[in-house]
């Protein structure tokens, strides 16, 4: 079929595809593997499976495990993929990141098709150009910018997501609304309860709008590979990445982003850029979405502050942290005083700790 006897693919051969699936999806959607086989059987004139789908453990721990990366690369090798072959990955942001990194580096780049299976990956990471894994206790220390060949947001995949992971994705929707689209933030605020309760008719258009805003920023923002300092989509992320590492990834990325948003909104108010009632409203909306604005790890503020320098190193050049002047209006701050962060943490501890949402078991 797709691959010739020598393992090399001819230009007019059917497309050879190696599928990788998040174990969390396989466990909750047992018919999926059969459906994949049936799909490739039905389209055998156009495409073929290189080897049976490979199952990849889901969640952040896979990005911390060098053996997991090796296993994905080994499967790409065993499947005899070439640069005209395709890696198709179905999964949450963590599995998309590790498989995307392997695909981008094997043979200097095998074509990648993503089917994101979480709200976060459909609303944000799946439509992006970044791939990577964690090393040395640092998020995404190893990684590449590599645009995928295609992305398919199939919302049916979301049905089996846990409530915790369902909610976590909406912090990225809130983030992109806060930095780019005031009206969108209003919609999220008004619909927060229905989103949290998984009302699909209301929640899915929010996921879609978030994906569109993220994709538009990459395509039209003029800096898809982040060569300049401006990175508005990293709002709330300097603290988020540090909090994930500080909690040994007990916090989901989306939960850590919610706390990072609350912290940077509070810093924006403390520095006099943002009205206090707006900062308070942002924390309220996160709470209404069922997202935390506080975690006990914040109390180790000195360690948290190391996150600012790590963020600068990761992005390169001058420290650039997006802050807010209003909803939908971000700007780049090049300095955040440690004293301001300490004060912001104290305020979050005082105000948000008491109304922290119940976190479901993972
Ligand atoms: N590359 C980027 O631009 C970018 C952007 C944002 C976030 N990220 C990364 O994405 C990751 C977070 O992704 P996430 O929020 O999707 O969480 P995740 O990938 O950690 O998945 C969370 C859990 O959900 C399970 N799961 C996935 N889909 C499921 C489904 N449909 N049904 C049942 N269970 C399912 C997984 O197995 C896992 O246990 C972080 O590593 C973050 O750094 C990357
Ligand atoms: Zn993020």
């Amino acid at each position: 079929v797709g691959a010739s006897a020598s393992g090399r693919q001819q230009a007019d051969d059917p497309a050879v595809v190696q599928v990788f699936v998040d174990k969390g999806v396989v466990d909750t959607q047992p018919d999926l593997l059969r459906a994949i086989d049936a799909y490739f059987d039905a389209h055998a004139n156009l495409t073929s499976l290189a080897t049976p789908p490979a199952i990849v453990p889901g969640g952040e721990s896979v990005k911390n495990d060098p053996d997991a990366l090796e296993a994905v690369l080994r499967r790409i090798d065993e499947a005899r993929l070439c640069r005209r072959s395709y890696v198709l990955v179905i999964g949450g942001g963590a599995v998309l990141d590790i498989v995307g990194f392997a695909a981008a580096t094997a043979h200097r780049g095998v074509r990648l098709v993503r089917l994101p299976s979480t709200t976060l990956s459909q609303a944000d990471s799946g439509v992006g150009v970044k791939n990577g894994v964690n090393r040395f206790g640092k998020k995404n220390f190893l990684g590449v910018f590599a645009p995928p060949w295609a992305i398919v947001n199939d919302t049916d995949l979301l049905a089996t997501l846990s409530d915790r992971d369902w909610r976590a994705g909406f912090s990225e929707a809130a983030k992109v609304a806060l930095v780019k689209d005031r009206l969108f933030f209003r919609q999220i605020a008004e619909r927060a309860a229905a989103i949290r309760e998984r009302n699909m008719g209301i929640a899915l258009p929010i996921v879609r709008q978030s994906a569109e805003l993220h994709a538009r920023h990459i395509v039209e923002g003029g800096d898809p590979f982040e060569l300049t300092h401006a990175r508005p989509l990293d709002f709330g992320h300097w603290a988020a990445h540090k909090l994930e590492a500080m909690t040994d990834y007990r916090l989901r990325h989306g939960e850590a982003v919610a706390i990072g948003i609350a912290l940077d909104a509070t810093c924006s108010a403390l520095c006099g850029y943002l009205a206090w009632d707006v900062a308070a409203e942002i924390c309220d909306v996160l709470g209404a979405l069922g997202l935390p604005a506080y975690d006990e790890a914040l109390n180790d503020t000195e360690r948290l502050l190391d996150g600012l320098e790590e963020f600068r190193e990761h992005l390169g050049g001058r420290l650039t942290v997006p802050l807010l002047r209003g909803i939908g209006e971000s700007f780049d701050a090049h300095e955040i005083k440690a004293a301001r962060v300490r004060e912001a943490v104290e305020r979050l501890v005082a105000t948000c700790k008491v109304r922290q949402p119940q976190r479901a078991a993972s």
Side-chain angles (χ1 to χ4, degrees), residues 200-250:
M200 291 301 200
I202 287 175
L204 294 182
I206 301 289
V207 171
R208 186 189 176 104
Q209 175 68 0
S210 171
E212 281 181 6
L213 286 170
H214 279 92
R216 206 178 301 153
H217 176 79
I218 294 166
V219 174
E220 296 170 7
D223 189 19
F225 304 120
E226 301 184 357
L227 298 171
T228 67
H229 287 108
R231 292 176 191 87
L233 298 184
D234 283 331
F235 179 59
H237 274 61
W238 75 265
H241 285 168
K242 189 66 188 172
L243 285 168
E244 286 183 78
M246 283 171 74
T247 59
D248 286 327
Y249 302 96
R250 167 177 56 77

Side-chain angles (χ1 to χ4, degrees), residues 12-350:
D12 52 356
D13 283 343
V16 176
V17 182
Q18 176 60 48
V19 178
F20 291 87
V21 196
D22 189 318
K23 185 168 185 306
V25 183
V26 176
D27 287 348
T28 51
Q29 304 189 29
D31 290 341
L32 184 68
L33 294 178
R34 264 194 301 279
I36 292 170
D37 276 343
Y39 178 89
F40 281 90
D41 283 347
H43 298 91
N45 56 330
L46 295 173
T47 183
S48 69
L49 280 175
T51 73
I55 296 166
V56 183
E60 193 68 29
S61 55
V62 78
K63 287 176 64 175
N64 292 324
D65 179 3
D67 292 341
L69 176 62
E70 185 76 8
V72 175
L73 286 165
R74 190 175 304 118
R75 180 59 83 94
I76 290 174
D77 179 38
E78 286 166 0
R80 310 294 310 271
L81 299 191
C82 73
R83 284 157 72 171
R84 285 167 191 263
S85 317
Y86 294 81
V87 163
L88 188 157
V89 55
I90 304 172
V95 168
L96 299 186
D97 268 357
I98 186 173
V99 174
F101 180 64
T105 48
H107 300 304
R108 299 198 178 95
V110 175
R111 297 169 179 181
L112 178 70
V113 177
R114 297 193 188 122
L115 268 86
S117 66
T118 58
T119 48
L120 187 137
S121 55
Q122 292 200 357
D124 175 355
S125 78
V127 299
V129 294
K130 297 189 215 174
N131 309 270
V133 294
N134 311 331
R135 283 296 176 275
F136 316 124
K138 291 177 182 162
K139 283 279 293 184
N140 306 322
F141 184 82
L142 276 183
V144 291
F145 290 96
W149 208 258
I151 305 139
V152 181
N153 270 2
D154 179 344
T155 53
D156 284 353
L157 283 170
L158 302 176
T160 51
L161 203 54
S162 70
D163 286 340
R164 180 182 180 185
D165 285 302
W166 169 269
R167 293 193 296 262
F170 291 93
S171 60
E172 300 282 13
K175 171 208 72 182
V176 75
L178 284 169
V179 298
K180 284 190 176 284
D181 191 332
R182 185 184 166 77
L183 184 63
F184 185 38
F185 189 76
R186 286 274 145 264
Q187 290 173 347
I188 295 173
E190 282 160 15
R191 298 166 196 184
I195 292 168
R196 180 182 178 159
E197 278 150 27
R198 304 180 74 141
N199 177 325
M200 291 301 200
I202 287 175
L204 294 182
I206 301 289
V207 171
R208 186 189 176 104
Q209 175 68 0
S210 171
E212 281 181 6
L213 286 170
H214 279 92
R216 206 178 301 153
H217 176 79
I218 294 166
V219 174
E220 296 170 7
D223 189 19
F225 304 120
E226 301 184 357
L227 298 171
T228 67
H229 287 108
R231 292 176 191 87
L233 298 184
D234 283 331
F235 179 59
H237 274 61
W238 75 265
H241 285 168
K242 189 66 188 172
L243 285 168
E244 286 183 78
M246 283 171 74
T247 59
D248 286 327
Y249 302 96
R250 167 177 56 77
L251 284 176
R252 292 283 203 266
H253 178 72
E255 293 167 344
V257 168
I259 297 167
I261 290 172
L263 187 69
D264 283 353
T266 308
C267 280
S268 303
L270 279 170
C271 296
Y273 302 120
L274 188 68
W276 274 108
D277 58 335
V278 179
E281 189 203 353
I282 292 170
C283 291
D284 287 346
V285 171
L286 296 172
L289 288 165
L291 290 164
Y294 164 86
D295 184 88
E296 62 192 11
L298 282 172
N299 295 320
D300 191 352
T301 315
E302 297 316 304
R303 201 172 151 208
L304 176 72
L305 278 163
D306 292 342
L308 274 174
E309 173 55 17
E310 289 170 16
F311 191 68
R312 189 201 64 72
E313 265 171 35
H314 187 65
L315 303 178
R318 209 151 57 119
L319 175 70
T320 305
V321 174
L323 291 182
L324 296 180
R325 283 191 212 286
I327 291 178
E329 282 174 74
S330 72
F331 71 99
D332 292 331
H334 295 292
E335 189 190 13
I336 298 193
K337 291 208 161 57
R340 288 278 182 264
V341 175
R342 290 191 195 101
E343 208 180 331
V345 166
E346 279 170 22
R347 283 177 179 264
L348 287 187
V349 170

